[in-house]
Amino acid sequence: MTPHTGGSRRVRIDVVDDHPGNPLPFWRRLGYEGSERVALTWGEKTSSALVLRKEL
């Protein structure tokens, strides 16, 4: 089952972009957009991430 066949209308991803080799250009080329910032924490590490969304 894909998100679209499951009834979803959009996809949301949180992209960590505070390191070398920033992946944002890749996701933007695929049509994802966003400007909301969040902090993601794994154990003792906290990273800045950009919330991206794409309409299906």
Side-chain angles (χ1 to χ4, degrees):
M1 178 185 298
T2 65
H4 191 63
T5 60
S8 298
R9 294 189 305 248
R10 84 177 61 98
V11 175
R12 171 196 162 142
I13 58 174
D14 299 340
V15 179
V16 175
D17 61 351
D18 63 353
H19 57 81
N22 187 330
L24 279 176
F26 169 80
W27 292 108
R28 294 216 188 265
R29 280 194 305 272
L30 293 177
Y32 286 82
E33 300 176 346
S35 59
E36 176 188 352
R37 288 229 160 253
V38 295
L40 302 178
T41 302
W42 296 274
E44 308 236 345
K45 167 99 172 122
T46 299
S47 295
S48 174
L50 186 63
V51 177
L52 299 178
R53 292 179 177 86
K54 181 178 180 178
E55 299 295 322
L56 298 177

